[in-house]
């Protein structure tokens, strides 16, 4: 898990999973040749989209590399993910990570230069959340899980994220309850899902059976005085009785 910077415009100081926005460049046709075992048509079916699904997987891989230094990719002549256990290799890829994050290079260029294939087929789509109506900023977010490459050491980028931890899901939930870690409801829900399983293999097996997850859209609870009083999640008692606001503050 990563802690977002205290100066972030959104989710400041929150503990989150690596991730971010699907950029326009992630939709490029040049990604299919460097993606192993997944094309846009298949990716779109997995996400319940008409087209453009591969861009979501590419964005996941790119953001994990930029934010946490984890690269889901393999050399073309190997089935094993690229290893960063050699210090010179680790430094070379760390430099590439920062260049891509700064816009001075691209993930496709890195794959070509290093003769790599991205591994979108090893990602499993497990949850889909939409920010409640009434929030000033709304996000349509998909969550994925993957088996972390064994020979890579994740590390925050010291820009958007300022701390990183490996933590058991149950321990993260306990630390949230103790107010040590701040988290948004989708992060909490993801941790609860992970906490149901004892191993990575169990998580990946369960994730493979999910299919296309339903989109979850919480509702804001507003007091009679018009103040924010919390949120209610789909499936919780009273969710259906909460009225949906008729306008969205800050929309354009």
């Amino acid at each position: 898990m990563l802690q977002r910077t205290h100066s972030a415009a959104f989710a400041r100081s929150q503990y989150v999973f690596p991730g971010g926005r699907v950029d326009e460049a992630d939709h490029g046709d040049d990604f299919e040749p460097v993606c192993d075992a997944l094309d846009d048509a298949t990716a779109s079916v997995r996400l319940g989209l008409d087209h453009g699904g591969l861009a979501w997987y590419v964005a996941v891989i790119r953001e994990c590399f930029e934010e946490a230094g984890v690269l889901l990719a393999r050399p073309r002549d190997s089935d094993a993910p690229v290893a960063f256990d050699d210090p010179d290799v680790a430094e070379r890829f760390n430099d590439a990570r920062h260049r891509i994050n700064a816009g001075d290079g691209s993930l496709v260029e890195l794959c070509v230069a290093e003769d790599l294939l991205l591994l979108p087929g090893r990602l499993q789509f497990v949850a889909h959340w939409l920010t409640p109506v009434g929030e000033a900023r709304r996000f349509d977010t998909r969550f994925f899980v993957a088996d972390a490459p064994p020979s890579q050491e994740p590390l925050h980028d010291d820009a958007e994220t300022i701390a990183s931890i490996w933590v058991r899901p149950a321990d993260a939930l306990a630390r949230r309850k103790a107010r040590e870690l701040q988290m948004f409801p989708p992060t909490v829900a993801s941790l609860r899902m992970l906490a149901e399983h004892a191993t990575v293999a169990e998580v990946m097996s369960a994730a493979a059976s999910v299919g296309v997850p339903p989109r979850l859209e919480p509702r804001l609870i507003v007091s009679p005085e018009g103040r924010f009083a919390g949120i209610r999640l789909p499936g919780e008692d009273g969710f259906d009785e909460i009225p949906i606001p008729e306008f969205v503050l800050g929309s354009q």
Side-chain angles (χ1 to χ4, degrees), residues 167-207:
V167 59
R168 292 176 60 88
D171 293 339
L173 292 168
R175 292 177 66 178
R176 170 186 173 267
K177 188 175 182 179
R179 300 181 181 274
E180 295 177 15
L181 305 180
Q182 300 178 50
M183 301 175 197
F184 284 132
T187 308
V188 175
S190 297
L191 287 168
R192 287 173 177 163
M193 179 274 291
L194 294 172
E196 295 175 357
H197 307 285
T199 66
V200 172
E202 288 183 16
V203 171
M204 298 306 294
S205 178

Side-chain angles (χ1 to χ4, degrees), residues 96 98-106 109:
H98 290 298
R99 288 198 308 273
I100 293 171
N101 198 11
D104 296 330
S106 73
E109 292 171 350

Side-chain angles (χ1 to χ4, degrees), residues 112-158:
V112 172
E114 298 286 347
D115 202 21
L116 299 175
L117 290 174
L118 303 180
L119 299 172
R122 302 191 190 186
L123 290 161
Q124 295 288 350
F125 176 34
V126 292
H128 185 183
W129 288 78
L130 181 64
T131 309
V133 172
E135 290 279 10
R137 303 180 68 183
R138 303 189 72 201
F139 299 91
D140 189 350
T141 307
R142 288 171 168 86
F143 287 79
F144 298 78
V145 295
D147 190 349
S151 298
Q152 298 184 27
E153 185 63 35
L155 183 66
H156 53 279
D157 62 11
D158 261 342

Side-chain angles (χ1 to χ4, degrees), residues 67-85:
E67 288 198 350
V70 173
L71 182 58
L72 294 174
R74 68 171 179 84
R76 285 183 180 270
D77 60 357
S78 173
D79 287 334
V82 59
F84 297 162
D85 43 7

Side-chain angles (χ1 to χ4, degrees), residues 4-14 182 184:
R4 286 180 56 79
T5 176
H6 303 310
S7 60
F10 173 75
R12 67 184 63 181
S13 306
Q14 297 280 327
Q182 300 178 50
F184 284 132

Side-chain angles (χ1 to χ4, degrees), residues 28-117:
D29 294 335
D30 49 357
F31 274 111
E32 278 200 358
V34 296
C35 282
D36 185 33
L38 194 65
D39 57 21
D40 186 71
T42 305
S44 298
V45 169
R46 292 185 181 182
L47 300 188
L49 300 172
D50 293 331
H51 64 277
L54 187 61
W56 289 80
Y57 288 86
V58 169
V60 169
I61 294 173
R62 176 182 54 75
E63 289 282 0
C64 282
F65 187 45
E66 291 178 0
E67 288 198 350
V70 173
L71 182 58
L72 294 174
R74 68 171 179 84
R76 285 183 180 270
D77 60 357
S78 173
D79 287 334
V82 59
F84 297 162
D85 43 7
D86 180 286
D88 292 336
V89 173
E91 183 176 359
R92 187 170 77 247
F93 275 90
N94 191 51
D95 289 342
R97 165 196 180 188
H98 290 298
R99 288 198 308 273
I100 293 171
N101 198 11
D104 296 330
S106 73
L107 195 55
V108 167
E109 292 171 350
L110 177 64
C111 288
V112 172
E114 298 286 347
D115 202 21
L116 299 175
L117 290 174

